[in-house]
Amino acid sequence: MESMHMVLHIGTTLDWDIHQMDVKTVFLHGNLGEEVYMEQPEGGKEPGKEGWVCWLDKTLYGLMQAMQGWNQHLHRAMNENGYEQVSFDHCIYIRTSNLGTSIVAIHINDMCMAASSPEEMKKLKDDLKKTFNLVDLGEICYLLGIMVTWDHIARTISLSQKGYIKKITKWLNLEEAHPISTPLNPNVILSKSLSPDTDHEKSWMRSIPYLTAIGSIMYMAMGMCSDVAFMVQHLSQFSSNPGQAHWTAIQ
């Protein structure tokens, strides 16, 4: 997230073009450095060879090696196209050519890129398309659940997670909830003593998406809503055995 913020800041300040691209099927690109076997998927078993297994040559979704394989493939491809990895942030690559300078921030398969000239932006896209199956999304407007509003004249950029927050409130059935002035009620003291201690209470709480809610709100804190950072840190302490009071605090 910080990598994306940095590229947006640089591009806006210098009035560079800022675009976004998406790489398709990223976890199918990586090479495997060890022998990995997989059972044949249902519906794809060859008659007479139902007991055979597949020897994988490339990574697949769900493999532990998939993320590492994609990262190594990506790093190699960026280097081959003249990009250098920024030492303090390995998610950012930079290149300077006779057409200008371009910076690329990468979050798994999402690319946020800023270029000092339209020619360098075109070269960037053309080079990467030779290696990856890319979807060109054009000028940046919505990235990682964040809406981006860009004012070229004032050289300012505004970020909003309003759509993401609405999605969470709808999922938690809180669309009709009344807003409050603080993210956490200062008059309620939450502790482990409020955690369930009977099998019935624990069984009921297992149906509550406590961890998913914590993760969703944590993403808000990392993105734009730093005012909920303390709240999500405090409530995450009860993740192993949350109670009704803790769930109420999340809502």
Side-chain angles (χ1 to χ4, degrees):
M1 187 68 74
E2 293 178 353
S3 306
M4 299 292 181
H5 289 174
M6 188 177 301
V7 172
L8 291 175
H9 173 73
I10 293 173
T12 304
T13 303
L14 300 177
D15 197 26
W16 289 5
D17 291 333
I18 307 177
H19 288 202
Q20 61 185 116
M21 299 185 77
D22 180 83
V23 185
K24 291 184 178 180
T25 60
V26 291
F27 293 147
L28 304 182
H29 290 281
N31 295 315
L32 284 168
E34 55 191 315
E35 289 190 4
V36 179
Y37 298 90
M38 180 190 75
E39 293 182 1
Q40 295 184 66
E42 293 297 330
K45 294 182 179 181
E46 187 174 342
K49 299 180 180 178
E50 290 83 359
W52 288 33
V53 294
C54 301
W55 179 15
L56 299 183
D57 183 53
K58 292 279 190 176
T59 56
L60 286 178
Y61 283 79
L63 281 182
M64 292 188 297
Q65 300 90 337
M67 181 65 79
Q68 182 186 37
W70 160 242
N71 182 262
Q72 292 173 342
H73 179 70
L74 170 68
H75 181 70
R76 185 166 52 251
M78 296 300 288
N79 286 340
E80 290 173 353
N81 284 293
Y83 283 89
E84 293 185 9
Q85 192 176 52
V86 175
S87 60
F88 62 85
D89 192 331
H90 289 181
C91 295
I92 299 178
Y93 290 84
I94 186 169
R95 177 181 72 181
T96 298
S97 68
N98 59 334
L99 298 176
T101 299
S102 56
I103 305 175
V104 182
I106 303 168
H107 179 83
I108 307 178
N109 65 320
D110 293 292
M111 293 185 175
C112 173
M113 49 196 66
S116 60
S117 69
E119 294 77 17
E120 172 62 16
M121 179 65 76
K122 183 178 184 304
K123 177 174 173 55
L124 184 167
K125 294 181 179 181
D126 291 342
D127 288 345
L128 295 184
K129 285 179 179 178
K130 295 176 183 178
T131 306
F132 305 119
N133 186 4
L134 293 170
V135 178
D136 187 353
L137 301 174
E139 188 172 288
I140 194 165
C141 59
Y142 197 81
L143 181 68
L144 302 179
I146 299 176
M147 186 173 64
V148 181
T149 305
W150 192 8
D151 188 332
H152 293 268
I153 299 177
R155 292 195 183 184
T156 60
I157 200 163
S158 301
L159 308 179
S160 172
Q161 284 184 300
K162 185 176 181 180
Y164 176 77
I165 294 171
K166 281 187 174 182
K167 182 179 178 180
I168 294 176
T169 54
K170 182 179 181 180
W171 171 67
L172 294 175
N173 295 318
L174 295 174
E175 295 174 287
E176 303 301 324
H178 297 288
I180 58 175
S181 58
T182 58
L184 195 62
N185 189 342
N187 299 315
V188 176
I189 300 177
L190 298 172
S191 66
K192 291 185 178 180
S193 64
L194 298 173
S195 298
D197 52 11
T198 66
D199 292 340
H200 176 72
E201 292 174 334
K202 292 179 180 180
S203 176
W204 185 83
M205 283 303 300
R206 288 193 193 101
S207 63
I208 300 298
Y210 190 87
L211 291 179
T212 306
I214 284 286
S216 299
I217 301 173
M218 189 177 295
Y219 186 73
M220 290 165 47
M222 293 171 58
M224 303 304 305
C225 306
S226 57
D227 57 328
V228 301
F230 172 77
M231 180 277 293
V232 71
Q233 178 273 333
H234 183 53
L235 290 175
S236 64
Q237 298 178 44
F238 313 106
S239 297
S240 61
N241 189 24
Q244 177 59 50
H246 307 129
W247 176 240
T248 300
I250 284 186
Q251 292 177 300

